[in-house]
Amino acid sequence: MVKETIRVYARVKPLGRRQQAGSYSVDDEEDLLSSLEITVPRDLADGFVNNKRETYKFKFQKIFDQEAKQDVIFDSIAKPVAECVLAGYNGTIFAYGQTGSGKTFTITGGAERYSDRGIIPRTLSYIFDQLQKDSSKVYTTHVSYLEIYNECGYDLLDPRHEASRLEDLPKVTIMEDSDQNIHLKNLSLQQATNEEEALNLLFLGDTNRMIAETPMNQASSRSHCIFTVHVSSKEPGSATVRRSKLHLVDLAGSERVAKTGVGGHLLTEAKYINLSLHYLEQVIIALAEKNRSHIPYRNSMMTSVLRDSLGGNCMTAMIATLSIDKRNIDESISTCRFAQRVALIKNEAVLNEEIDPRLMIVQLKKEIQDLKDELELVTGKQRTSELSQEELLQLDELIETFLKDNDPDSTLDVGADMRKIKYCFIHMKQLMNHPTTSDKKLLSQNISEEEDTNKESGEELEKLKDLLQQRDNEINILVNMLKKEKKKAQDALFQLNASSACSTVLEQSLPINLEDRQSPSSCSSLKGAKDFSSSVHRLPLLSRQTGGKMSLGCQEAFEVFKRDHADSITIEDNKQLLKQRFAEIKCLGEKLNEVRSKINCLKGEITQRHIQRAALAVSSPSEELNMFDPVEEKLRMQIEEEKKSYKTMFNRFKGLKVEIEHLQLLMEKVKMKMQKDFEVWWSEEAKNLQEKPEMVTSPNTVTVYPQFIKSLQHLSTNSFSEITRVSPNEDPAGKNNSITFSNPTLKTRTPQSSSTSIPLTGDSQADADILAFMKARQRILQRKGLENK
Ligand code: ADP
Ligand code: MG
């Protein structure tokens, strides 16, 4: 058991270009706790006597200032926890801080650069690396990704992958069993056999998280996300299994409601966050107090899920993320205050070892079979567990004869077979319980006689009896275990109320282990999930949401939007980098092949040399030929050299592969984000259009086509009432297939200078889209123009 307090770290986010730094200083002492001092100037502008404290000092395990890089964060905070998890202890790392302070950046990573990847991808990489190195154990790894929003849990690794709203994802609920263990119903555990699979799952979860978020519900800042890696290990042949899990938690923003200044729907959300973080705080206060017997874990879903991580069986680290610019100093101070309380909590991590009853049964079965075989060898007879009908009849006869026999020396000999001996006893007991008077007499007389006879039985019989007894005991143990298992399974089934096949259980105390879950029904769901995770998850967002259809106008608008989007630079950069990496990996692959064939050549030379020397030894034997061959030695050394360079290159090759994979995922993420932004922008523009229908200038102004509304509706949930537009078909001349429109933000119409003329396609829906797009574009240009001025 390892007893230690939660390790609390602070990370200061780099200041933005326009931000003004608050006054703070970091005192970083080697081997000691670091301290952070924040100074708040007395605010004279408040116009009243201000008794606020000026300087606040907080202690942390370590403070990572603005320039700290992701690899350093991983090495100092996450690596030690990951090591514990590999050794069989539970671990948790959670980030706490206001929205925008860098929680997601720290836990998951930035979406731009490979070097920005956060704790989750680095930890996955580290864990799989270590597992690969350790061949002494058999490891199984699963991951789960849970999002908690407004006290509801959602499974982010939903294999159906069609969710466009959080509510479409499977709802996860909490169950507590009679031993007060928490079970999460409907949270899928997906097996990941290597880093790539695990990263794909992470990417899938992040994508689902992003898609589910709309401007109205900024779920990422208002929800808690828990990515969990479950590791189980077992030595080959052993029945002992170690199970551990690592929670990597991105908490909701800790800012207070008053500051968010929102009403209505958003306020409900803010209140909820506040509630759940408030309950987290309550738990932490209760834990820090001595002699508190009740800890209010059950008040919120998040504290229930993280119960073990807080004051329980877990190695826990917290990262307080701080925005140190002037405007956020207050929030940073309250984050630090929270951190100081967390630092007082003591956890007791224990090695999560358990005997796997299934493996135990297998072992005992084998032992029973061995004993049976041995018995068969000694008696020369095969044993089944039941006596045959014939044998039973025979025994009945024997007993009857024995009981009727008046000879005091008569014996009841059934041989060294425990089953028969037992049967005789049972039979006699029955006779005793329902006796005829004469039988009774006879019986008691005979029993004492039998006892005497038994005493005389030989040594071998005793030995075999022992053996049989042993076997019976084992059978009893097995039967009991099976009963218990069955009961537990039934209980669980009852509690989960016939939960669906993919419902899984997070807590290690779960009686059904991972392998058990691979029952035919759940197995198929896992398999399905895996198949999909390697293929479907790369479907682009928009085509997914619009069923693969995007009208021509919409496509064109998207092309322009893409070009002007801020992220297009990132995509371009990453494209270049990818190109570079592809070229590099290709070149490396070629080199690797070269080295491999070189090694093969050298090996061939050695073989050739052997043959030559063997031939020489036959034709003209000499002492020299049996001796050490310097040429061969040289060849061997060359091979060693080549092997070394092969290994170095191969490692680089592997590294590059991971980097490329990651870059591809990053790019897809950015692309999806862009499509999402486009979608939002597009629907906003459509809404504006609806509100200002007078913007079109044309000789003819007609009511909008219904297709136009439809085409916009498939991109937005906003409904349209009436929009006016020009219909090319109603051009009186019938030739002027173009539309002209003025800048909508200008009240005075100056058609020639600020209007654009574009050709129409004749396809009514496409034309409507083009029209909408051109207007929107015009408006942006106008806005840009104003900004530039
Ligand atoms: P949170 O999850 O706490 O709301 P984010 O992680 O989304 O905050 O960070 C907000 C923004 O700041 C993101 O654009 C992120 O890339 C950037 N950011 C945060 N921390 C850092 C850092 N240490 N270095 C560089 N950029 C950062
Ligand atoms: Mg975030």
Side-chain angles (χ1 to χ4, degrees):
M1 189 165 68
V2 185
K3 208 168 174 170
E4 65 164 33
T5 50
I6 294 183
R7 287 164 177 256
V8 178
Y9 303 86
R11 183 180 200 186
V12 182
K13 191 189 123 170
L15 277 176
R17 255 181 295 150
R18 289 191 199 146
Q19 285 173 329
Q20 251 189 319
S23 162
Y24 77 101
S25 67
V26 175
D27 190 3
D28 220 355
E29 290 175 53
E30 284 289 316
D31 306 327
L32 274 178
L33 292 182
S34 311
S35 58
L36 176 74
E37 205 170 285
I38 303 179
T39 311
V40 182
R42 280 172 196 270
D43 196 352
L44 297 175
D46 277 357
F48 54 84
V49 183
N50 189 339
N51 288 326
K52 261 192 196 168
R53 269 176 55 190
E54 277 199 316
T55 310
Y56 299 83
K57 198 166 178 177
F58 304 101
K59 296 261 182 212
F60 289 95
Q61 193 79 35
K62 194 163 169 49
I63 298 162
F64 299 91
D65 211 347
Q66 299 185 40
E67 53 288 337
K69 293 278 169 276
Q70 299 283 60
D71 52 342
V72 178
I73 299 282
F74 170 75
D75 285 342
S76 328
I77 304 175
K79 205 162 150 186
V81 182
E83 266 159 15
C84 289
V85 172
L86 287 172
Y89 296 92
N90 292 337
T92 298
I93 301 171
F94 68 94
Y96 181 98
Q98 70 185 110
T99 300
S101 58
K103 296 182 296 296
T104 307
F105 186 84
T106 304
I107 298 289
T108 311
E112 291 187 9
R113 283 181 298 268
Y114 181 62
S115 57
D116 278 348
R117 65 206 194 286
I119 286 178
I120 301 180
R122 284 173 197 268
T123 305
L124 288 173
S125 176
Y126 179 75
I127 286 180
F128 283 106
D129 237 30
Q130 296 302 310
L131 297 192
Q132 226 174 20
K133 280 182 196 158
D134 183 6
S135 53
S136 67
K137 289 197 189 107
V138 184
Y139 288 95
T140 331
T141 343
H142 288 76
V143 300
S144 61
Y145 206 170
L146 169 71
E147 174 158 8
I148 304 176
Y149 179 66
N150 279 1
E151 277 307 294
C152 265
Y154 300 94
D155 183 6
L156 285 174
L157 300 186
D158 171 37
R160 282 170 302 165
H161 200 70
E162 239 116 65
S164 58
R165 295 174 312 151
L166 204 56
E167 293 74 24
D168 298 339
L169 292 169
K171 273 209 170 65
V172 179
T173 47
I174 282 200
M175 302 269 163
E176 199 172 319
D177 65 17
S178 51
D179 296 331
Q180 302 191 336
N181 294 315
I182 299 289
H183 304 263
L184 291 173
K185 182 185 158 193
N186 262 352
L187 181 69
S188 57
L189 275 190
Q190 310 277 4
Q191 184 159 17
T193 47
N194 55 39
E195 185 185 345
E196 195 183 326
E197 278 179 23
L199 284 177
N200 280 340
L201 287 166
L202 169 68
F203 173 73
L204 163 69
D206 279 342
T207 311
N208 273 341
R209 187 180 171 189
M210 188 181 77
I211 291 169
E213 183 181 294
T214 66
M216 278 301 281
N217 92 47
Q218 289 266 308
S220 78
S221 66
R222 293 163 198 282
S223 63
H224 314 287
C225 280
I226 306 176
F227 184 87
T228 310
V229 190
H230 308 250
V231 182
S232 68
S233 65
K234 172 177 106 59
E235 274 167 30
S238 154
T240 315
V241 186
R242 279 187 187 176
R243 286 183 213 291
S244 52
K245 53 198 165 149
L246 173 60
H247 292 312
L248 300 166
V249 189
D250 187 353
L251 287 177
S254 63
E255 58 275 3
R256 283 153 291 177
V257 181
K259 237 192 161 183
T260 56
V262 286
H265 177 56
L266 287 188
L267 185 63
T268 332
E269 289 166 356
K271 194 181 79 199
Y272 263 115
I273 300 173
N274 238 12
L275 256 188
S276 81
L277 284 182
H278 167 74
Y279 287 131
L280 174 67
E281 201 155 344
Q282 278 194 347
V283 164
I284 279 157
I285 291 171
L287 283 166
E289 269 176 34
K290 272 181 195 154
N291 310 324
R292 265 288 283 267
S293 57
H294 174 70
I295 311 291
Y297 291 112
R298 282 193 207 152
N299 283 347
S300 83
M301 185 169 192
M302 190 245 307
T303 47
S304 301
V305 176
L306 293 182
R307 188 162 74 179
D308 265 349
S309 316
L310 305 161
N313 167 22
C314 197
M315 302 272 204
T316 303
M318 169 188 164
I319 308 170
T321 53
L322 308 171
S323 281
I324 212 74
D325 65 296
K326 263 190 179 153
R327 280 181 39 234
N328 290 316
I329 276 291
D330 272 6
E331 289 293 350
S332 297
I333 290 173
S334 71
T335 300
C336 289
R337 282 214 186 101
F338 179 82
Q340 304 300 289
R341 267 189 240 124
V342 172
L344 298 175
I345 299 173
K346 275 204 176 77
N347 277 2
E348 285 176 22
V350 287
L351 208 54
N352 299 310
E353 264 184 347
E354 58 189 65
I355 302 226
D356 186 337
R358 259 172 18 95
L359 292 172
M360 191 75 177
I361 289 171
V362 171
Q363 270 184 2
L364 286 174
K365 270 187 186 160
K366 191 179 168 295
E367 214 169 308
I368 290 172
Q369 190 53 50
D370 288 350
L371 288 171
K372 271 186 183 167
D373 293 347
E374 213 170 303
L375 204 64
E376 199 180 313
L377 213 67
V378 175
T379 59
K381 281 182 198 157
Q382 230 180 10
R383 287 278 156 92
T384 53
S385 52
E386 299 279 332
L387 287 165
S388 68
Q389 206 58 35
E390 209 175 307
E391 282 172 318
L392 290 176
L393 282 173
Q394 236 173 22
L395 278 177
D396 285 349
E397 257 173 47
L398 272 175
I399 294 167
E400 204 180 337
T401 329
F402 171 68
L403 290 176
K404 280 186 180 155
D405 195 342
N406 287 329
D407 182 359
D409 291 334
S410 72
T411 55
L412 176 62
D413 188 1
V414 290
D417 188 336
M418 205 59 201
R419 298 167 307 166
K420 289 183 180 169
I421 295 168
K422 267 189 185 163
Y423 178 79
C424 289
F425 278 118
I426 292 167
H427 195 99
M428 287 205 222
K429 193 177 174 184
Q430 276 170 354
L431 285 175
M432 229 167 104
N433 286 341
H434 311 282
T436 59
T437 3
S438 59
D439 275 350
K440 203 175 182 181
K441 256 191 192 164
L442 204 64
L443 198 68
S444 57
Q445 193 189 348
N446 287 336
I447 284 174
S448 66
E449 277 167 13
E450 200 199 4
E451 272 174 7
D452 291 342
T453 330
N454 277 349
K455 273 181 200 157
E456 288 159 19
S457 54
E459 225 177 71
E460 196 171 350
L461 184 65
E462 283 302 319
K463 227 166 130 187
L464 286 172
K465 269 186 189 169
D466 278 353
L467 217 62
L468 282 163
Q469 189 58 46
Q470 222 173 319
R471 196 193 64 166
D472 277 341
N473 285 342
E474 278 156 8
I475 290 174
N476 283 338
I477 294 173
L478 275 174
V479 169
N480 278 340
M481 282 178 95
L482 276 170
K483 274 185 189 161
K484 259 190 209 160
E485 277 303 295
K486 207 172 151 189
K487 189 173 175 305
K488 272 189 192 174
Q490 272 170 352
D491 284 353
L493 213 71
F494 178 70
Q495 286 196 13
L496 294 178
N497 195 12
S499 70
S500 67
C502 65
S503 85
T504 46
V505 178
L506 248 190
E507 293 302 307
Q508 45 89 191
S509 54
L510 170 74
I512 305 164
N513 58 43
L514 295 178
E515 283 86 353
D516 279 343
R517 265 186 227 113
Q518 311 239 350
S519 60
S521 53
S522 65
C523 196
S524 64
S525 79
L526 274 183
K527 189 178 165 291
K530 250 175 90 177
D531 288 347
F532 117 85
S533 77
S534 57
S535 59
V536 192
H537 79 271
R538 307 236 167 141
L539 262 183
L541 169 74
L542 209 65
S543 56
R544 228 172 70 184
Q545 292 191 338
T546 57
K549 276 180 238 142
M550 214 205 257
S551 72
L552 270 177
C554 188
Q555 267 175 33
E556 197 187 328
F558 182 55
E559 286 308 314
V560 179
F561 184 88
K562 233 169 40 183
R563 208 185 52 214
D564 295 344
H565 196 279
D567 283 344
S568 63
I569 303 168
T570 310
I571 292 186
E572 251 339 284
D573 284 355
N574 276 338
K575 239 190 218 166
Q576 290 308 324
L577 194 62
L578 253 181
K579 244 189 208 166
Q580 240 175 346
R581 293 289 182 262
F582 270 129
E584 223 175 299
I585 205 165
K586 193 174 160 217
C587 174
L588 211 58
E590 279 163 7
K591 272 191 198 155
L592 276 171
N593 280 337
E594 267 172 34
V595 175
R596 203 184 294 154
S597 50
K598 212 165 174 185
I599 291 175
N600 283 339
C601 259
L602 288 167
K603 275 183 186 163
E605 274 183 52
I606 290 181
T607 320
Q608 214 49 43
R609 185 105 195 128
H610 280 177
I611 296 168
Q612 278 171 8
R613 279 166 69 91
L616 259 177
V618 174
S619 58
S620 51
S622 81
E623 267 301 297
E624 216 178 277
L625 283 172
N626 289 331
M627 277 161 56
F628 165 81
D629 178 10
V631 181
E632 187 184 326
E633 187 55 22
K634 206 174 143 201
L635 286 170
R636 281 193 188 285
M637 268 160 66
Q638 264 176 306
I639 288 182
E640 277 316 303
E641 282 302 308
E642 294 295 339
K643 270 187 181 167
K644 253 189 234 163
S645 80
Y646 184 85
K647 217 171 166 181
T648 329
M649 276 198 271
F650 189 69
N651 282 338
R652 172 80 188 126
F653 185 85
K654 263 193 342 198
L656 270 176
K657 199 173 149 253
V658 174
E659 188 176 344
I660 286 175
E661 181 72 27
H662 193 97
L663 278 172
Q664 284 172 331
L665 291 182
L666 282 184
M667 272 179 64
E668 272 165 49
K669 227 187 208 166
V670 175
K671 274 187 201 161
M672 275 195 199
K673 186 169 158 275
M674 201 187 272
Q675 282 179 331
K676 210 175 128 56
D677 289 350
F678 170 71
E679 190 187 318
V680 171
W681 171 82
W682 181 261
S683 59
E684 262 174 20
E685 288 305 323
K687 210 163 81 185
N688 288 341
L689 210 69
Q690 176 202 356
E691 283 159 7
K692 296 175 192 165
E694 87 297 343
M695 296 168 313
V696 183
T697 56
S698 159
N700 305 303
T701 301
V702 196
T703 313
V704 74
Y705 282 130
Q707 295 98 301
F708 175 51
I709 302 180
K710 242 191 343 298
S711 80
L712 290 173
Q713 266 173 341
H714 77 240
L715 286 160
S716 143
T717 49
N718 299 324
S719 58
F720 298 82
S721 52
E722 205 179 74
I723 302 171
T724 51
R725 58 146 282 166
V726 174
S727 162
N729 299 336
E730 293 180 30
D731 184 347
K735 295 171 200 157
N736 185 16
N737 245 6
S738 71
I739 50 169
T740 311
F741 63 95
S742 66
N743 191 319
T745 51
L746 292 178
K747 282 281 169 243
T748 48
R749 289 179 183 168
T750 48
Q752 292 319 310
S753 59
S754 63
S755 66
T756 318
S757 192
I758 51 161
L760 288 176
T761 61
D763 169 345
S764 55
Q765 180 178 324
D767 291 346
D769 289 345
I770 291 173
L771 174 70
F773 158 66
M774 290 309 289
K775 280 183 191 170
R777 189 167 180 223
Q778 195 80 1
R779 195 171 306 135
I780 287 180
L781 290 175
Q782 171 67 12
R783 217 177 290 147
K784 272 188 184 165
L786 286 176
E787 270 171 23
N788 291 342
K789 274 177 205 162

